[in-house]
Amino acid sequence: MTAIVVHGGAGAGEQLSDGCQRAAEAASARLRAGDDGLAAAIAAVLVLEDDERFNAGTGAALGLDGETIEMDAAVMDSRGTLGAVAILRSVKNPILVARDVARTPHCLLAGEGALRFARAMGHAPYDVISDKARREHAEMLAQLSSEEPAMAGVDNDAFARYWNYACSPAFRGRRGRDTVGAVVRDADGHFAVAGSTGGSAPSLLGRVGDTPLIGSGFYAGPHGAVAVTGIGEYIIRHTLASKVYHWIAAGMDLDEALRRGIALVPPDADTGLIAVSKTQSGWCANAATPIAQA
Ligand code: ASP
């Protein structure tokens, strides 16, 4: 039996579930056409990267300078495919660049090298800043100027203190949502995961979250596939995807493994996990997170 689970970002709100549903249907169509789990997971993420309501691809969050967009993405499957990009600018679909990286001798390309690689592989310049990203950037500056922490557990002042953008900080002192991901079990029993994000705002220039880091934001192996969404800094500390995968591989009930995973991060840091195993599929989140299953 095939299985697909798609998320649209921890804390993004269930009103975005229709987007996840369309993404799950795109993945399902690929499986029905005989494509493998990786192609299906990528198809799901492509739908969400092109839906500007989500913080990935066209809808990616703006950096604190109000100009820069840096995106991370990754793919992995249980047949040895592994490719990721970090701090990638100016492409429409980072997930397709991550897939191309998997064909190189490397696993992860970042920054300028990732951009040059993308161009060499034929990914055209794309510099759209969505209206939603502009609105959320303005809201984030307002929040950074307030007493309310823009990132759970972090003083707003920290972003001004360590500021590394070319312009000056436009605040005195919100986080990105709607990152996207998909996990798939295909008809041959192989597992795949794909994820893409505009990052967790606020962040300093050059910040890399969990999404392109194997074992942190994603993992796939012969026992299943796992994708994580939330504030990368908390996820990376626990290598969360790898931990949950290994619990499932050791025989733990999938729902229990997801619950234990969520319990590792602070409750005020919105976090979500999706997973498929040989016999189960599911999700767990500590915040309203759009999810679709097929
Ligand atoms: N995990 C992503 C990051 O930290 C953001 C998210 O999932 O909302 O970059």
Side-chain angles (χ1 to χ4, degrees):
M1 272 264 280
T2 62
I4 299 159
V5 189
V6 175
H7 76 73
E14 277 144 22
Q15 74 283 359
L16 298 184
S17 294
D18 64 301
C20 294
Q21 193 57 45
R22 284 193 299 112
E25 281 157 16
S28 179
R30 297 301 295 261
L31 292 183
R32 280 198 307 278
D35 290 334
D36 67 3
L38 185 62
I42 290 172
V45 166
L46 273 175
V47 168
L48 299 172
E49 283 186 340
D50 291 344
D51 182 336
E52 68 167 45
R53 297 175 301 164
F54 292 89
N55 175 18
T58 297
L62 264 173
L64 286 174
D65 61 351
E67 286 173 24
T68 313
I69 290 183
E70 296 181 324
M71 299 171 287
D72 302 336
V75 298
M76 183 174 189
D77 72 12
S78 52
R79 292 196 276 199
T81 304
L82 175 58
V85 287
I87 45 178
L88 176 62
R89 299 185 186 192
S90 184
V91 300
K92 184 166 183 278
N93 292 114
I95 199 69
L96 296 181
V97 186
R99 182 201 57 192
D100 288 343
V101 169
R103 298 176 179 138
T104 72
H106 307 301
C107 301
L108 170 61
L109 291 178
E112 177 67 17
L115 178 58
R116 283 169 180 253
F117 170 76
R119 293 289 181 264
M121 294 297 108
H123 300 275
Y126 186 81
D127 291 298
V128 170
I129 298 175
S130 69
D131 290 344
K132 174 175 177 276
R134 288 195 193 282
R135 227 175 20 249
E136 292 189 342
H137 173 256
E139 286 167 16
M140 187 172 59
L141 292 188
Q143 194 173 345
L144 280 165
S145 298
S146 76
E147 299 301 315
E148 187 192 346
M151 180 176 171
V154 175
D155 272 353
N156 285 344
D157 284 350
F159 295 96
R161 195 174 324 128
Y162 301 111
W163 185 260
N164 65 348
Y165 290 90
C167 61
S168 305
F171 57 92
R172 283 188 295 109
R174 187 205 126 157
R175 18 159 303 259
R177 292 166 185 258
D178 338 334
T179 282
V180 306
V183 291
V184 174
R185 177 176 67 235
D186 68 21
D188 296 327
H190 297 299
F191 298 98
V193 56
S196 183
T197 185
S200 173
S203 61
L204 297 170
L205 192 67
R207 177 263 186 189
V208 177
D210 59 300
T211 304
L213 301 185
I214 182 171
S216 289
F218 68 97
Y219 198 84
H223 299 279
V226 180
V228 192
T229 172
I231 300 174
E233 284 72 6
Y234 294 115
I235 296 164
I236 290 165
R237 281 184 168 74
H238 293 283
T239 54
L240 196 53
S242 164
K243 210 162 259 174
V244 171
Y245 171 84
H246 284 101
W247 286 335
I248 292 168
M252 189 184 289
D253 175 69
L254 181 136
D255 292 320
E256 172 67 12
L258 293 176
R259 270 197 303 275
R260 284 197 191 190
I262 292 293
L264 289 173
V265 290
D268 59 341
D270 294 348
T271 311
L273 273 160
I274 58 174
V276 287
S277 68
K278 289 178 182 162
T279 55
Q280 290 181 280
S281 63
W283 62 278
C284 184
N286 64 3
T289 301
I291 302 278
Q293 299 196 54

